[in-house]
Amino acid sequence: MRKIQVQIILLFFISFQTLFAQQPQKPNAVEIYNQIKKLNFLGSVLYVAAHPDDENTRMISYLANEMHARTGYLSLTRGDGGQNLIGPQLRELLGVIRTQELIEARKIDGGEQFFSRANDFGFSKNPNETLEIWDKDKVLADVVWTIRNFQPDIIINRFDHRSPGTTHGHHTSSAMLSVESFKLTNDPKVYPEQLKYVSPWQVKRQFFNPSWWFYGSQEKFDAANKSKFTKLETGVYYTGIGKSNQEIAALSRSRHQSQGFGSTGVRGLETEYLELINGETPKDRDNLFDGIDTSWNRVKNGKPVGDLIAMIIEKYNFSNPSASIPDLVKAYTMIQALDDTHWKNLKSTAIKNIIASCSGLYLEAVSNEQEATPGSSIRLSLEAINRCAVEMQLTSVTTLPDNKSTAQNSILKDNNDQKINLQIQLPNSIEYTQPYWLKEKATVGMYTVSNQENIGIPDIIREVKVVFNIKINNVEIPFERTVVYKYNDGVKGEMYNFLDIVPEVTTSILEKVLIFRDTKSKMIPVKVRAGKDDAKGNLQLDLPKSWNVSPKQIAFTLDKKGTEQIFYFEVTPPINPEEVVAKSIAIVDNKRFDRDQTIIDFNHITKQMVLKPAESKCIRIDLKTSGDAIAYIMGAGDEVPESLTQMGYKVSILKPEEITPEKLDSFSTVITGIRAYNTVNALANKQNILFNFVKSGKNMIVQYNTYGKLVTDKIAPYPLKLSNDRVTEENAKITFLAPNHPVLNTPNKITSKDFEGWTQEQGLYYPDEYDAAFTPIISSHDKGESAKNGALLVAPYGKGYYIYTGLSFFRELPEGVAGAYRLLSNIISLKQPLEAPKQDLKQ
């Protein structure tokens, strides 16, 4: 019984998570017809890869929309280690964004989304390194769990398990783990703890989905022998919706905005190939499901259900979809009588959605506020309207999680809107709204999710829901809706968010890294935000005893929910260098609140709330600086300017149109943000101005760019060619190639110790060809590789210096890596020596 309940919860979550992310979906008659056709197909495919944006959306769309198969995508990671083209969020916060982008993509292409607990720790050159940092056994367990839960007939791997070292280590690892799982999922001795919730399952066949890049070029792929491959003609045109499969796939892929994967749809013939790597060979090689029963006959007593749905499809009236409701309700009743819990639960959810769509049944539960605290009472406005001639009765509504049922017994007449007001008491034990995979302490390679039933669920788990119990043709059907908050925007119109459960008070130390260059005290701002009305308490800033904090606590009163106030603590560091963590804590009614609330709000994804420990890193550092005003030209987005401010520099964010000789005259250094020459087109026409700035005696620091897609080939005043060279082992040994160069000696003496504690990677996209004017400063390499010398290149130009660096300052500075601050200070401080005065030859 427990297993059935878990599956129902997962299916409700998967189905209704897509409904309210931005606005409720309201399918048209053609989309409803396609849903009914999918109702009569009992076959499933699981696509497996490593990251968001790895998936082949053309294949997923084809399987889901043309073949009507239940199609899932298992991304082993949430993409936490990638770059961010739309904001400064990195690591876990970027993973939250990319999770939502995947969910939005699946809404478009018709797939479902799943994850493992693997943490995307950054680029990895081979699967050995990947599986050392990931906990291989746990990730393998998650793959097995997903397969047992999803029960795919077919698995398709995006990457080749036989080619380690030729692509990202995460990529190959995803394929290797998928292949290894093939013989494990049906063995009850393998991960037996899972069998409390799922059953063993054997996949019928497993494929690898090759493409031209695995062969090196389109020409080589075209010439390859593909006679033994399964061939799918995926370039279909869906007449009912007026789009090609590729156009749908492009819309799906374009959801990956943080990675810059906007895609233009194409039309016409297109072929995808699959290479069988495990399981039975289909007799009809190009029939993916050949020999697999995908009808209702695969379910005991299911044939009558399939026959009835076939009749519904045949009789479907595009002008009046509601004519199908009596037969759909009958099919729903027949499905409830089946013993097969897997397909029973899946198809029950699907047919309920279809019944609601056919009838225009609109059900909504709206909170009068967007945030609520545990134990509080909230007002709900419910709406129920039946927009067809089929008689319906709203018998009752049940609120969750309090499981309180309220009788209604009201007839839902055609197009007669019913409004209901309810009060719901939230339990004190209700969980805060936040990504469940971020609640527990993670490792570099793995998230911690203690609850087995939650593993794989893509989105935040929301507890506040309303079940509308509606009787149709004397059959009572429960329709579940997640509680939302909506409002009208004067420009955008009707806007939706979810109801969030928040702490009574959250706090935030406004600077996440605090640099103390000497023993002088600093005033540290701490923000307090009220999650409820009349929030009163005391605010504390907790630091080790070697640091002095004054005052010990500050009383606060916030009258209204959502109001904020900033308070200041004077912090005095110790004499000796030290790195510690400061924690801001609010005490309210003898309860401790120590969470920092972060809101992520972009137009293309659902608004997200993340609760993290309210902490900041305090560093008493031996740091000397010179130079003063810095102009920073943002690229893809990073937090380096904030770090520079902490170092004591005056930083101005310069827009491309502001790059003029007159504007630059007041600055001593220009720094371009990460990937600026990939993302800021205007820089192509500003290079002469910037190079003249250097020539006049100033410094220009260019941080990493990816090779291949540059807005100009002349990113430096001398020849410089970027490559894919990178050092992913953050603790790789450093060799100083120019130990006497000022950049390693002035004003801070740089040693190998300054490269200790670096996070995620040392650097990326180093130049591998450069003019003799450049001096390479350091060298390092990953295990088994040749030396990489392009991490930091310094060249005098005119009276100033041009510096190119692929070192990952954008990651190290926000993490408070002291050595990165010291080295960056030296780079900024570079000055050419004054020419010696010429001797008078007459003397």
Side-chain angles (χ1 to χ4, degrees), residues 464-476:
V464 187
K465 301 179 181 182
V466 172
V467 179
F468 295 79
N469 299 299
I470 294 179
K471 188 176 289 185
I472 308 173
N473 287 0
N474 293 316
V475 176
E476 187 166 279

Side-chain angles (χ1 to χ4, degrees), residues 293-484:
D293 190 353
T294 59
S295 74
W296 279 92
N297 294 339
R298 75 186 295 172
V299 176
K300 183 181 178 181
N301 300 322
K303 186 178 184 305
V305 179
D307 292 341
L308 177 56
I309 294 173
M311 186 193 72
I312 295 171
I313 293 170
E314 184 179 354
K315 294 169 55 180
Y316 183 75
N317 185 341
F318 286 88
S319 299
N320 181 23
S322 65
S324 298
I325 291 176
D327 287 328
L328 286 168
V329 171
K330 182 179 178 181
Y332 170 81
T333 305
M334 294 167 68
I335 292 171
Q336 304 318 298
L338 297 175
D339 294 329
D340 184 309
T341 57
H342 177 73
W343 288 110
K344 173 182 177 178
N345 295 330
L346 281 170
K347 298 303 185 181
S348 292
T349 301
I351 200 168
K352 285 194 294 185
N353 290 338
I354 293 168
I355 290 170
S357 297
C358 284
S359 62
L361 180 62
Y362 186 86
L363 306 170
E364 188 173 71
V366 179
S367 169
N368 70 322
E369 50 196 340
Q370 207 255 306
E371 295 181 348
T373 55
S376 65
S377 178
I378 59 174
R379 286 185 288 118
L380 298 181
S381 299
L382 310 186
E383 180 180 1
I385 182 170
N386 165 32
R387 291 174 285 186
C388 75
V390 177
E391 185 174 302
M392 299 185 186
Q393 181 183 13
L394 176 61
T395 60
S396 64
V397 294
T398 303
T399 53
L400 301 174
D402 62 348
N403 206 30
K404 180 182 178 182
S405 186
T406 305
Q408 299 297 321
N409 296 318
S410 57
I411 302 298
L412 297 181
K413 296 180 180 179
D414 185 6
N415 211 31
N416 189 357
D417 206 5
Q418 299 275 337
K419 299 290 180 66
I420 304 163
N421 294 318
L422 279 182
Q423 199 86 4
I424 179 173
Q425 181 70 37
L426 300 177
N428 291 318
S429 59
I430 193 170
E431 296 271 3
Y432 296 138
T433 301
Q434 61 179 316
Y436 69 89
W437 61 95
L438 297 181
K439 284 170 54 179
E440 302 175 71
K441 188 174 179 60
T443 65
V444 172
M446 295 295 297
Y447 287 117
T448 301
V449 181
S450 300
N451 187 339
Q452 176 68 52
E453 300 165 73
N454 291 346
I455 294 172
I457 294 177
D459 206 352
I460 289 170
I461 299 171
R462 300 179 185 273
E463 299 180 63
V464 187
K465 301 179 181 182
V466 172
V467 179
F468 295 79
N469 299 299
I470 294 179
K471 188 176 289 185
I472 308 173
N473 287 0
N474 293 316
V475 176
E476 187 166 279
I477 303 176
F479 294 89
E480 184 178 274
R481 297 292 183 264
T482 303
V483 171
V484 297

Side-chain angles (χ1 to χ4, degrees), residues 6 220 273 318 342 367 513 593 731 841:
V6 170
K220 290 181 180 179
Y273 295 93
F318 286 88
H342 177 73
S367 169
V513 176
F593 295 92
N731 296 318
L841 298 179

Side-chain angles (χ1 to χ4, degrees), residues 647-664:
M647 294 169 71
Y649 295 109
K650 296 177 182 177
V651 183
S652 299
I653 305 297
L654 216 59
K655 296 178 181 178
E657 60 270 21
E658 296 178 312
I659 302 174
T660 64
E662 296 76 19
K663 187 74 173 181
L664 293 179

Side-chain angles (χ1 to χ4, degrees), residues 512-654:
K512 297 311 173 189
V513 176
L514 295 159
I515 300 295
F516 293 81
R517 296 164 50 193
D518 49 37
T519 57
K520 292 180 181 177
S521 63
K522 284 189 175 184
M523 300 303 292
I524 306 304
V526 179
K527 182 176 70 177
V528 181
R529 183 180 188 276
K532 67 171 187 176
D533 292 341
D534 194 26
K536 298 179 181 178
N538 290 300
L539 179 65
Q540 302 172 358
L541 185 62
D542 185 28
L543 275 160
K545 292 182 179 179
S546 54
W547 295 66
N548 186 59
V549 180
S550 178
K552 297 301 180 185
Q553 64 180 23
I554 300 173
F556 66 86
T557 299
L558 300 174
D559 294 333
K560 295 294 184 181
K561 174 196 294 190
T563 57
E564 300 174 346
Q565 192 170 350
I566 295 176
F567 301 92
Y568 290 86
F569 291 90
E570 184 177 12
V571 174
T572 307
I575 296 175
N576 297 320
E578 186 178 4
E579 296 183 12
V580 298
V581 174
K583 301 178 181 179
S584 58
I585 302 160
I587 307 297
V588 179
D589 296 331
N590 294 319
K591 292 185 290 186
R592 174 188 173 108
F593 295 92
D594 58 0
R595 299 283 105 178
D596 182 352
Q597 182 189 54
T598 298
I599 301 297
I600 299 174
D601 195 5
F602 293 99
N603 289 334
H604 69 300
I605 60 174
T606 301
K607 180 181 175 183
Q608 301 289 292
M609 181 177 78
V610 180
L611 296 174
K612 299 176 70 176
E615 296 177 349
S616 179
K617 194 170 185 178
C618 291
I619 307 174
R620 169 66 177 94
I621 185 176
D622 180 13
L623 174 66
K624 302 178 182 66
T625 62
S626 66
D628 185 15
I630 295 175
Y632 200 91
I633 303 169
M634 294 299 295
D638 57 61
E639 297 178 356
V640 173
E642 292 87 338
S643 300
L644 292 168
T645 301
Q646 276 292 317
M647 294 169 71
Y649 295 109
K650 296 177 182 177
V651 183
S652 299
I653 305 297
L654 216 59

